[in-house]
Coordinates of all heavy atoms in Angstrom, one line a residue:
V451 N 38.6 -55.0 -13.1 CA 39.8 -54.9 -12.3 C 40.6 -53.7 -12.8 O 41.1 -52.9 -12.0 CB 40.7 -56.2 -12.4 CG1 42.0 -56.0 -11.6 CG2 39.9 -57.4 -11.7
A452 N 40.8 -53.6 -14.1 CA 41.6 -52.5 -14.6 C 40.9 -51.1 -14.3 O 41.6 -50.1 -14.0 CB 41.8 -52.6 -16.1
D453 N 39.6 -51.1 -14.5 CA 38.9 -49.8 -14.2 C 39.0 -49.4 -12.7 O 39.2 -48.2 -12.4 CB 37.4 -50.0 -14.6 CG 37.2 -50.1 -16.1 OD1 38.1 -49.6 -16.8 OD2 36.2 -50.6 -16.5
L454 N 38.8 -50.4 -11.8 CA 38.9 -50.1 -10.4 C 40.3 -49.7 -10.0 O 40.5 -48.8 -9.1 CB 38.5 -51.3 -9.6 CG 37.0 -51.6 -9.6 CD1 36.7 -52.9 -9.0 CD2 36.1 -50.5 -9.0
L455 N 41.3 -50.3 -10.7 CA 42.7 -49.9 -10.4 C 42.9 -48.4 -10.8 O 43.6 -47.7 -10.1 CB 43.6 -50.8 -11.2 CG 45.1 -50.5 -11.1 CD1 45.7 -50.6 -9.7 CD2 45.9 -51.4 -12.1
N456 N 42.4 -48.1 -12.0 CA 42.5 -46.7 -12.4 C 41.8 -45.7 -11.4 O 42.4 -44.7 -11.1 CB 41.8 -46.5 -13.8 CG 42.0 -45.2 -14.4 OD1 43.0 -44.5 -14.3 ND2 40.9 -44.6 -15.0
I457 N 40.7 -46.1 -10.9 CA 40.0 -45.2 -9.9 C 40.8 -45.0 -8.7 O 40.9 -43.9 -8.2 CB 38.6 -45.8 -9.6 CG1 37.7 -45.8 -10.8 CG2 37.9 -45.0 -8.4 CD1 36.4 -46.5 -10.7
S458 N 41.4 -46.1 -8.2 CA 42.2 -46.0 -7.0 C 43.4 -45.2 -7.2 O 43.8 -44.4 -6.3 CB 42.5 -47.5 -6.5 OG 43.3 -47.4 -5.4
I459 N 44.1 -45.4 -8.3 CA 45.3 -44.6 -8.6 C 45.1 -43.1 -8.7 O 45.8 -42.3 -8.2 CB 46.0 -45.2 -9.9 CG1 46.6 -46.6 -9.7 CG2 47.1 -44.2 -10.4 CD1 47.2 -47.2 -10.9
Q460 N 43.9 -42.8 -9.3 CA 43.6 -41.4 -9.5 C 43.1 -40.7 -8.2 O 42.9 -39.5 -8.2 CB 42.5 -41.2 -10.6 CG 42.9 -41.7 -11.9 CD 44.1 -41.0 -12.5 OE1 44.3 -39.8 -12.3 NE2 45.1 -41.8 -13.1
N461 N 42.9 -41.5 -7.1 CA 42.4 -40.9 -5.9 C 43.3 -41.2 -4.7 O 42.9 -42.0 -3.8 CB 41.0 -41.4 -5.6 CG 40.0 -40.8 -6.6 OD1 39.4 -39.7 -6.4 ND2 39.7 -41.5 -7.7
C462 N 44.5 -40.8 -4.8 CA 45.5 -40.9 -3.7 C 45.6 -39.6 -2.9 O 46.2 -38.7 -3.5 CB 46.8 -41.5 -4.2 SG 46.7 -43.1 -4.9
H463 N 45.1 -39.5 -1.8 CA 45.2 -38.2 -1.0 C 45.4 -38.5 0.4 O 45.1 -39.6 1.0 CB 43.9 -37.4 -1.2 CG 42.6 -38.2 -1.4 ND1 42.1 -39.0 -0.4 CD2 41.9 -38.4 -2.5 CE1 41.0 -39.6 -0.9 NE2 40.9 -39.3 -2.1
A464 N 45.9 -37.5 1.1 CA 46.2 -37.6 2.6 C 46.4 -36.2 3.1 O 46.3 -35.2 2.4 CB 47.5 -38.4 2.8
V465 N 46.5 -36.2 4.5 CA 46.5 -34.9 5.2 C 47.8 -34.7 5.9 O 48.4 -35.7 6.3 CB 45.3 -34.8 6.1 CG1 45.4 -35.8 7.3 CG2 45.1 -33.4 6.7
I466 N 48.1 -33.4 6.1 CA 49.3 -33.1 7.0 C 48.8 -32.1 8.0 O 48.1 -31.1 7.7 CB 50.4 -32.5 6.1 CG1 51.1 -33.5 5.3 CG2 51.5 -31.8 7.0 CD1 52.2 -33.0 4.4
Q467 N 49.2 -32.3 9.3 CA 48.9 -31.4 10.4 C 50.0 -30.3 10.4 O 51.1 -30.6 11.0 CB 48.8 -32.1 11.7 CG 48.2 -31.3 12.8 CD 46.8 -30.9 12.6 OE1 46.0 -31.8 12.1 NE2 46.4 -29.8 13.1
D468 N 49.8 -29.2 9.9 CA 50.7 -28.1 9.8 C 50.4 -27.1 10.9 O 49.6 -26.1 10.8 CB 50.7 -27.4 8.5 CG 51.8 -26.3 8.3 OD1 52.7 -26.3 9.2 OD2 51.8 -25.6 7.3
G469 N 51.0 -27.3 12.1 CA 50.6 -26.5 13.3 C 49.1 -26.8 13.7 O 48.8 -28.0 13.9
D470 N 48.3 -25.8 13.7 CA 46.9 -26.0 14.1 C 46.0 -26.2 12.8 O 44.8 -26.3 12.9 CB 46.3 -24.7 14.8 CG 47.1 -24.6 16.2 OD1 47.5 -25.6 16.7 OD2 47.2 -23.4 16.6
K471 N 46.7 -26.2 11.7 CA 45.9 -26.3 10.4 C 46.1 -27.6 9.7 O 47.2 -28.2 9.7 CB 46.5 -25.1 9.5 CG 45.8 -25.1 8.1 CD 46.4 -24.0 7.3 CE 45.9 -24.0 5.8 NZ 46.6 -23.0 5.0
E472 N 45.0 -28.1 9.2 CA 45.1 -29.4 8.4 C 45.2 -29.0 6.9 O 44.4 -28.2 6.4 CB 43.8 -30.2 8.6 CG 43.8 -30.9 10.0 CD 42.6 -31.9 10.1 OE1 41.6 -31.6 9.4 OE2 42.8 -32.9 10.8
R473 N 46.1 -29.6 6.2 CA 46.3 -29.4 4.8 C 46.2 -30.7 4.0 O 46.9 -31.7 4.4 CB 47.7 -28.7 4.5 CG 47.8 -27.4 5.2 CD 49.2 -26.8 5.1 NE 49.6 -26.5 3.7 CZ 50.7 -26.0 3.3 NH1 51.6 -25.7 4.3 NH2 51.0 -25.8 2.1
W474 N 45.4 -30.7 3.0 CA 45.1 -31.9 2.3 C 45.9 -31.9 0.9 O 45.9 -30.8 0.3 CB 43.6 -32.1 2.0 CG 42.9 -32.5 3.2 CD1 42.6 -33.7 3.8 CD2 42.2 -31.5 4.0 NE1 41.9 -33.6 4.9 CE2 41.6 -32.3 5.1 CE3 42.0 -30.2 4.0 CZ2 40.8 -31.7 6.1 CZ3 41.3 -29.6 5.0 CH2 40.7 -30.3 6.0
F475 N 46.5 -33.0 0.6 CA 47.2 -33.1 -0.7 C 46.7 -34.3 -1.5 O 46.3 -35.3 -0.9 CB 48.7 -33.2 -0.4 CG 49.3 -32.0 0.1 CD1 49.3 -31.6 1.4 CD2 50.0 -31.1 -0.8 CE1 49.9 -30.5 1.9 CE2 50.6 -29.9 -0.3 CZ 50.5 -29.6 1.0
R476 N 46.8 -34.2 -2.8 CA 46.5 -35.3 -3.7 C 47.6 -35.6 -4.6 O 48.2 -34.6 -5.2 CB 45.2 -35.0 -4.5 CG 44.8 -36.2 -5.4 CD 43.4 -35.8 -6.1 NE 43.6 -34.9 -7.2 CZ 43.9 -35.3 -8.4 NH1 44.0 -36.5 -8.7 NH2 44.0 -34.4 -9.4
Q477 N 48.0 -36.8 -4.9 CA 49.0 -37.2 -5.8 C 48.4 -37.2 -7.2 O 47.4 -37.8 -7.5 CB 49.6 -38.5 -5.5 CG 50.8 -38.9 -6.4 CD 51.6 -40.0 -5.9 OE1 51.6 -40.4 -4.7 NE2 52.4 -40.7 -6.7
T478 N 49.0 -36.4 -8.1 CA 48.5 -36.2 -9.4 C 49.2 -37.1 -10.5 O 48.6 -37.3 -11.6 CB 48.6 -34.7 -9.8 OG1 49.9 -34.3 -9.8 CG2 47.8 -33.9 -8.9
T479 N 50.4 -37.5 -10.3 CA 51.1 -38.3 -11.3 C 51.7 -39.6 -10.6 O 52.0 -39.6 -9.4 CB 52.2 -37.5 -11.9 OG1 53.2 -37.2 -10.9 CG2 51.7 -36.3 -12.6
G480 N 51.8 -40.6 -11.4 CA 52.5 -41.8 -11.0 C 51.7 -42.6 -9.9 O 50.5 -42.5 -9.7
L481 N 52.5 -43.5 -9.2 CA 51.9 -44.4 -8.2 C 52.3 -43.9 -6.8 O 53.4 -43.4 -6.6 CB 52.4 -45.8 -8.5 CG 52.2 -46.4 -9.8 CD1 53.0 -47.7 -10.0 CD2 50.7 -46.7 -10.0
A482 N 51.4 -44.1 -5.9 CA 51.6 -43.7 -4.5 C 52.4 -44.7 -3.8 O 52.1 -45.9 -3.8 CB 50.3 -43.4 -3.9
M483 N 53.4 -44.3 -3.0 CA 54.1 -45.1 -2.1 C 53.1 -45.4 -0.9 O 52.5 -44.5 -0.4 CB 55.3 -44.4 -1.5 CG 56.4 -44.3 -2.5 SD 57.2 -45.8 -3.0 CE 58.0 -46.2 -1.4
G484 N 53.0 -46.6 -0.6 CA 52.0 -47.0 0.5 C 50.9 -47.8 0.0 O 50.3 -48.6 0.8
K485 N 50.6 -47.7 -1.3 CA 49.5 -48.6 -1.9 C 50.2 -50.0 -2.2 O 51.2 -50.0 -2.8 CB 49.0 -48.0 -3.2 CG 48.3 -46.6 -3.0 CD 46.9 -46.8 -2.4 CE 46.2 -45.5 -2.4 NZ 44.8 -45.6 -1.8
S486 N 49.5 -51.0 -1.8 CA 50.1 -52.4 -1.9 C 50.3 -52.8 -3.4 O 51.2 -53.6 -3.7 CB 49.3 -53.4 -1.1 OG 48.0 -53.4 -1.6
Y487 N 49.5 -52.2 -4.3 CA 49.6 -52.7 -5.7 C 50.7 -51.9 -6.4 O 51.1 -52.2 -7.5 CB 48.3 -52.5 -6.4 CG 47.7 -51.1 -6.3 CD1 48.2 -50.0 -7.0 CD2 46.5 -50.9 -5.6 CE1 47.7 -48.8 -6.9 CE2 45.9 -49.6 -5.6 CZ 46.5 -48.6 -6.2 OH 46.0 -47.3 -6.1
S488 N 51.2 -50.8 -5.8 CA 52.2 -49.9 -6.6 C 53.4 -50.7 -7.0 O 53.8 -50.5 -8.2 CB 52.5 -48.7 -5.7 OG 51.4 -47.9 -5.5
P489 N 54.1 -51.5 -6.1 CA 55.3 -52.2 -6.6 C 54.9 -53.2 -7.8 O 55.7 -53.4 -8.7 CB 55.7 -53.0 -5.4 CG 55.2 -52.2 -4.2 CD 53.9 -51.7 -4.7
V490 N 53.7 -53.8 -7.7 CA 53.4 -54.8 -8.8 C 53.1 -54.0 -10.1 O 53.6 -54.5 -11.2 CB 52.1 -55.6 -8.4 CG1 51.8 -56.7 -9.4 CG2 52.3 -56.2 -7.0
V491 N 52.4 -52.9 -10.1 CA 52.1 -52.2 -11.3 C 53.4 -51.6 -11.9 O 53.7 -51.7 -13.1 CB 51.1 -51.0 -11.0 CG1 51.0 -50.1 -12.2 CG2 49.8 -51.6 -10.5
A492 N 54.3 -51.1 -11.0 CA 55.6 -50.5 -11.5 C 56.4 -51.6 -12.1 O 57.1 -51.4 -13.2 CB 56.3 -49.9 -10.3
D493 N 56.4 -52.8 -11.5 CA 57.2 -53.9 -12.0 C 56.7 -54.3 -13.4 O 57.5 -54.6 -14.3 CB 57.2 -55.1 -11.1 CG 58.1 -56.2 -11.4 OD1 59.3 -55.9 -11.7 OD2 57.7 -57.4 -11.5
L494 N 55.4 -54.4 -13.6 CA 54.8 -54.8 -14.8 C 55.1 -53.8 -15.9 O 55.4 -54.1 -17.1 CB 53.3 -55.0 -14.7 CG 52.9 -56.2 -13.8 CD1 51.4 -56.2 -13.6 CD2 53.3 -57.5 -14.5
Y495 N 55.0 -52.5 -15.6 CA 55.3 -51.5 -16.6 C 56.8 -51.5 -17.0 O 57.1 -51.3 -18.2 CB 54.9 -50.1 -16.1 CG 55.3 -49.0 -17.1 CD1 54.5 -48.8 -18.2 CD2 56.4 -48.3 -17.0 CE1 54.8 -47.9 -19.2 CE2 56.8 -47.3 -17.9 CZ 56.0 -47.1 -19.0 OH 56.4 -46.2 -20.0

């Protein structure tokens, strides 16, 4: 469970439509807003 949580946290990415161009971003630190486990992990820490 801890290992899979680590994998999910390290791979939070999404796209933005900037005009006609798609731009992809990845969150490199902390917890992502939108992940259902983020409030639980933050509360425990």
Side-chain angles (χ1 to χ4, degrees):
V451 173
D453 292 339
L454 291 172
L455 176 63
N456 183 40
I457 293 169
S458 179
I459 289 176
Q460 298 302 319
N461 290 273
C462 294
H463 32 68
V465 66
I466 289 182
Q467 189 70 35
D468 186 9
D470 297 331
K471 178 183 177 183
E472 287 186 331
R473 299 174 64 179
W474 290 274
F475 289 84
R476 184 176 76 89
Q477 185 166 339
T478 57
T479 63
L481 302 168
M483 293 288 293
K485 298 286 188 179
S486 58
Y487 55 68
S488 292
V490 186
V491 174
D493 188 49
L494 293 171
Y495 176 79

